[in-house]
Every structure is written in C-alpha cells, then in structure tokens.
Amino acid sequence: MQLVRLQRLSRLLSRCRAVALLAFPKLVSVGWSSLFYPLAAILSIAPLLGGIWNLEVQTFLQSSILIIFSFYMCSVLYSKRIPAFFIDAKSKVMALLLFLSAISLILSPIKNLISGEWLNLAIGFLIIILSGGLSAIEEKKIFKFIILASYVICALAFYEILFKGQFPPSSTLINPNSLALFSLMIIPLALSIKNYALAGIVFIVLVLTASLAGLMAFAAALLFYLAEVYGIKSKKFIISVIVFGAIMIVYAFVGLEFKSITDRLLWWQDGFKIVSDRLVLGFGFGSFSFIYPAYHESVIGGISSIYAHNYFLEFLAENGIVSSVIWFVFLAVSFIKGRSIIKYSILAVLLHSFVDFGLSLPFNFWVFCFILGVNNKSPKHNEHKKSARGKFYALIIFCLLMTSLNYGYKRLKLNGVYKDIIQASGGQVSNAGDFKESLFLCDKAIKIDKNNSLIYRLKGGLYLKEARKKKDRLSLFEAAASFEEALIHNPYDKAAYKKLLEIYEYAGEKKLIKDIKLRRAKYLK
C-alpha cells in the first residue's frame, strides 16, 4: 500500500516538474541564478519585520524559504546534476547538524511546543549551504539588498531618537542589544565592499544603542584585525590596545550595571543545571524558554528570562554537547580561515553573544548564517556532479516540504483558535456564555493538536476560574484533569504543578498532594 502511494506521489511530482518546465522554462534552466533574488528579499525583509515578529510573520518567511529551497533542489536533482557546493565539507557538516538537531527534537519531552522553532535553525543551516553557491556577482547583489535594509534600519533608529525621544533606539529589531548585534554584522560587511558611508552610519547607531557588550565586541574585533594587519608587536597595535582598553574601562565603569551582571550569573547558573540533565542531546532547539522556569528559583530583586543571555550556553542546553562541539568548531574555523574583513562580522557577533541573546532571534540568525555561508564559499561552487538517485532525493525533499507546510498551516490555525479563546474569555471568564464558548474553542484547539500542553493548561485555567466562581467541585476536578494532561505533554510545566497543588490542597486530597510533590521534585530543579 505504501509503495503504491509512493508511486502515485512520484507521478504527481513528475507532472509538477513537467508543468514547471513548460510554464517557467527559463527559471528552471537557469536554476540558482534566478532563485537568489527571493533569498535576497527574505534576508533583507526579515530584519525589517523584527519589531512586529510573530507566528504569522515567521511562518510566512519559513514557508517562503522552504519553497525556494525545495523548488531549486527538485529542479537540479531531476536533471541528475548536483551542485558541488551541496556536497562539499561545509554542507556535510550542516547536514550532520540538521540530523543531530532533528534527533534532539524528536526525543525532546516538549517537541510539540518547539517544532516551529527548530525550523528556524534548519533554515539557517540551509542558508549557509545556499550562500556557498553564490557567484561573486550574485553575492554583491544580495549585499545590496541587505545594505538597503540597513539604511532603513539606521534611519528608523535616528527617527526614534530625534522625533520620539526614545533612547537608546531599537529600530525594527526588538531592543537596543539586538540592534547592536545587527550593527556588528553590517559594519565589516559594508567595509568589505568599500561602502564606508554605511559603515560609519552603522557605527554611530552602534554607539547610540549604548550596548556595552556591543562596543566591547567591536573593539575586540578591531584589535584582532589590527593584530593581523600590523602584528602584535607593532607600535600601532600596542597603542590601539592602550587607547581602546582605556576607553572600555571608563565606559564600563560609567555604564555597567551591577544588577545586569548578577542577573546573568543567575541565568547562567540555571542554564548549566539544564545542560547537566540532558548533556548529550539537549532538550531540542527553541526549548530554553519552556524549560528554564523549571530550573529557575525566584530571588528577591531578580528577574526571569526566556533566554540564557549566552548563545553558547543556550545552544548547548538545547542541542547537547555533540551538536555544540561540531557547531562551535565550525564557527571557529569559519573565522580562522575566513575572508579578510567579512570574518570579523563572525568574531564580533560571537563575542557579543557571550552575554546576550541576539542570535536567538531568527532574523538576526539568518543574516548571520548568510555571512557564514559566503565566508565559507567552496572554490568549486560552480561545478556539478552527477547523481544516480536524483529523482528519489527530489521525492524526499518534496515530502518534507509538504510536511513542513502542513505543520505551518496547523500552527497558524491553532494560533487563531488560541486568540479566539483569549478574546472570548477576555482574560477572565465573566459569564457562563464566555465560559462555554471558551471551553468549546479549547476542545476545537485540542482536535487540531491534541499534544499541545499550552491548550490543556488554558482549559484548566478556565475550569479553575469557573470552580472558584460557583464553588463547583466538579469544575475543580475538571481543572485538575486538564492540568494533569498538560503535564503529560510537558512535565516541566512549573505553572501546572502550582495549580494542581493548589487544587489538591483545597480538596484535601493528601495522597494526590504527596504524588504531585514527588513528580514536581523530579522535574523542577
């Protein structure tokens, strides 16, 4: 039966290919040269949408990149000629990382909550692969797209300062630190194509972000550059070290907040607890914000976070030590063997990421991956190799694309129902009609994704409010059943444990109280 279905799917794909060849003969024959424009558009548009980033924006961009990649790959595989850059050492490393991160996702206890986030990582690795196949002309054209977006981002940053009185600015990039990281990527990129005007403007924006980590990363990257150009024993380098060192010491003394340091130390301490529990494979990419509350103990004056504020620690906690070692070595080699100026984008970003979360944001991560890709370009990127199983591989890619698009559609549909539930309840159940409507929508959401712990937790909250309002014991235990279901799908849900303990204590269920405390002690560290 499965064989018959595969044969039918293969015939369908063949027909799609035939239609594509008839309708778009030039596009298919030219291949990559025509497809780099959509990639350029996505790389430039994504940072501009950072300020309004949500599930809809993310799903649209994810789908666009996956369709572009799949169309291109199916095209070249059907021609049985695979570009050499697709099977070079860099692409093999990316393929291995994709495989290992997929294993981490599959084995994650919260895989249903993070599958969409894993796609952001997968797309970043695909961008690295695709960028390695660009010709010099295509590369410069994509640079122009990104530079245009950079001018817009800088203009909006100045607008925020001059007309909105917002200082430091964040432009379209969520917060000033994220803008600082974007600036660190663009300055060497602009210098590499001798666009000194943009480099100067972006540097001013970097200073205006008042990001101490950003400025220190810039200074350190600049010193590495000077050491490479002049040597560490030259007077120019020694003087530069003294000058920049003095400036950074003064700036750190004036601008550094002690609380910022203590908060990060607490986040890192909790992060290492997460690492120690699943050292080999981690909890899956994008899991930190869901897992972290289970390991975090509130302290007076401290604040919680959905990021580790250390990219390396967060990646290690999410993907495990095997993937992390491979990825970090790849990053180090990319800098050591990279192109003369562009490689300092990599260094500056990684230094900044020791104390912040800018690379956890998809729009920054994708641009960073593009820089990695062009920095690791294969010398044989224009060559092709024959493939005996081209159609088979094309079929696999087509199936993966359909699965991803179906998952994206399901997420959007679920998100729409979730918003309807919030709107129906108004944040609290004000009357019986709201409660029944919200409950109906929860059941509808569960039919869409029966393994989503957030929906069960929301349903439990609705029942709990109803129980408190009407002193209804039945609603109370319906709430308990929903929270228990939430824990089945996410045993690290700190809020669900708290609500269940509250319910069982109110009901006087001593046996259940003991059981929930034992389970909580197992997962909450």
Side-chain angles (χ1 to χ4, degrees):
M1 188 67 180
Q2 292 293 332
L3 182 61
V4 173
R5 289 179 179 176
L6 286 173
Q7 289 174 343
R8 290 176 179 174
L9 190 56
S10 179
R11 287 196 294 270
L12 175 63
L13 193 58
S14 299
R15 291 170 185 171
C16 291
R17 166 71 175 175
V19 171
L21 286 169
L22 289 173
F24 309 105
K26 184 176 180 181
L27 183 60
V28 175
S29 62
V30 174
W32 175 239
S33 297
S34 296
L35 292 174
F36 88 92
Y37 282 109
L39 180 62
I42 289 168
L43 288 171
S44 56
I45 290 172
L48 295 176
L49 299 177
I52 58 170
W53 196 270
N54 55 26
L55 182 62
E56 288 82 1
V57 172
Q58 178 172 282
T59 303
F60 169 75
L61 292 175
Q62 286 176 343
S63 301
S64 300
I65 294 176
L66 290 174
I67 290 171
I68 292 166
F69 171 79
S70 300
F71 179 86
Y72 169 67
M73 281 306 300
C74 289
S75 175
V76 297
L77 287 171
Y78 258 76
S79 65
K80 297 184 179 181
R81 295 176 67 248
I82 299 179
F85 70 86
F86 255 94
I87 51 177
D88 62 10
K90 171 201 65 188
S91 297
K92 289 177 181 177
V93 171
M94 293 302 103
L96 177 59
L97 284 170
L98 277 171
F99 173 76
L100 290 173
S101 63
I103 295 297
S104 296
L105 172 67
I106 292 169
L107 298 179
S108 172
I110 58 167
K111 57 180 174 291
N112 293 291
L113 296 176
I114 61 173
S115 300
E117 297 306 312
W118 179 82
L119 282 175
N120 290 329
L121 178 69
I123 286 171
F125 291 160
L126 290 177
I127 288 174
I128 292 175
I129 295 172
L130 293 174
S131 301
L134 294 170
S135 67
I137 295 175
E138 292 164 346
E139 182 182 298
K140 287 181 180 179
K141 287 181 178 179
I142 291 185
F143 282 174
K144 289 180 180 179
F145 278 86
I146 296 175
I147 285 170
L148 179 61
S150 301
Y151 275 119
V152 174
I153 289 170
C154 290
L156 290 173
F158 291 125
Y159 173 81
E160 286 178 343
I161 295 173
L162 296 175
F163 298 100
K164 296 178 68 176
Q166 179 180 326
F167 185 84
S170 57
S171 189
T172 63
L173 294 160
I174 296 182
N175 62 34
N177 282 323
S178 177
L179 177 58
L181 183 135
F182 181 80
S183 301
L184 291 172
M185 289 191 287
I186 298 303
I187 292 172
L189 198 66
L191 291 173
S192 70
I193 58 173
K194 299 181 179 180
N195 191 331
Y196 303 116
L198 177 63
I201 293 171
V202 176
F203 176 73
I204 293 171
V205 170
L206 173 63
V207 173
L208 291 174
T209 62
S211 170
L212 178 60
L215 290 170
M216 292 184 73
F218 175 82
L222 181 58
L223 290 176
F224 269 91
Y225 172 74
L226 294 174
E228 182 180 2
V229 174
Y230 299 110
I232 58 175
K233 295 182 179 180
S234 67
K235 290 183 178 180
K236 290 183 179 180
F237 177 74
I238 294 172
I239 292 172
S240 298
V241 170
I242 295 171
V243 171
F244 279 107
I247 293 173
M248 286 298 103
I249 291 172
V250 172
Y251 190 84
F253 181 77
V254 174
L256 187 62
E257 296 181 5
F258 180 73
K259 188 177 182 302
S260 176
I261 297 176
T262 56
D263 285 339
R264 278 171 168 75
L265 290 175
L266 287 172
W267 297 331
W268 297 346
Q269 182 182 7
D270 295 334
F272 280 112
K273 292 179 186 176
I274 299 174
V275 171
S276 65
D277 269 7
R278 292 176 71 93
L279 179 62
V280 179
L281 290 173
F283 282 90
F285 186 81
S287 62
F288 190 88
S289 59
F290 295 101
I291 296 296
Y292 173 75
Y295 291 82
H296 175 68
E297 185 176 351
S298 300
V299 296
I300 298 174
I303 58 174
S304 184
S305 174
I306 61 172
Y307 301 108
H309 283 72
N310 183 311
Y311 173 73
F312 303 93
L313 176 59
E314 188 170 318
F315 192 92
L316 177 60
E318 293 181 343
N319 299 278
I321 193 167
V322 179
S323 295
S324 297
V325 169
I326 296 171
W327 177 234
F328 298 157
V329 169
F330 175 78
L331 293 175
V333 171
S334 296
F335 169 69
I336 294 169
K337 296 186 177 181
R339 292 159 63 174
S340 60
I341 296 179
I342 292 179
K343 69 178 184 179
Y344 290 99
S345 287
I346 299 171
L347 177 62
V349 166
L350 294 179
L351 290 172
H352 181 272
S353 297
F354 268 107
V355 293
D356 211 79
F357 61 87
L359 278 182
S360 298
L361 305 172
F363 43 85
N364 273 341
F365 180 66
W366 292 347
V367 175
F368 177 68
C369 287
F370 168 72
I371 293 172
L372 280 173
V374 298
N375 190 64
N376 287 277
K377 189 182 296 183
S378 171
K380 299 180 180 180
H381 64 274
N382 287 324
E383 296 182 7
H384 289 75
K385 295 186 177 182
K386 291 184 178 181
S387 172
R389 299 182 179 179
K391 292 185 178 181
F392 174 72
Y393 293 138
L395 179 61
I396 292 176
I397 290 173
F398 179 78
C399 292
L400 290 174
L401 173 65
M402 292 297 103
T403 302
S404 300
L405 293 179
N406 180 64
Y407 174 76
Y409 170 74
K410 187 171 75 171
R411 277 198 306 159
L412 289 177
K413 190 176 179 181
L414 183 64
N415 189 57
V417 176
Y418 187 85
K419 289 179 178 179
D420 290 338
I421 296 170
I422 301 299
Q423 185 177 2
S425 64
Q428 60 181 1
V429 183
S430 56
N431 55 60
D434 289 339
F435 171 71
K436 289 180 180 179
E437 182 181 356
S438 299
L439 206 58
F440 169 77
L441 291 170
C442 280
D443 291 334
K444 182 179 178 181
I446 290 170
K447 288 181 180 179
I448 298 172
D449 186 359
K450 63 181 180 180
N451 298 316
N452 191 302
S453 63
L454 297 178
I455 298 299
Y456 290 108
R457 195 172 77 186
L458 182 58
K459 184 178 180 180
L462 291 170
Y463 270 120
L464 186 58
K465 289 176 182 178
E466 183 73 2
R468 287 171 175 169
K469 180 181 178 181
K470 295 186 176 180
K471 308 295 183 182
D472 182 17
R473 194 174 180 85
L474 179 60
S475 295
L476 192 67
F477 281 97
E478 287 285 359
S482 296
F483 286 125
E484 288 285 7
E485 189 72 28
L487 288 178
I488 290 174
H489 302 293
N490 179 11
Y492 294 87
D493 193 334
K494 190 175 184 178
Y497 285 111
K498 182 180 178 181
K499 294 295 184 183
L500 279 170
L501 189 59
E502 178 185 327
I503 292 170
Y504 294 152
E505 286 177 345
Y506 177 81
E509 296 287 344
K510 294 182 179 180
K511 186 177 180 180
L512 293 175
I513 291 172
K514 182 180 179 180
D515 176 69
I516 197 67
K517 284 183 176 180
L518 288 173
R519 284 188 286 152
R520 184 180 64 177
K522 179 181 178 181
Y523 291 102
L524 304 191
K525 308 298 175 66

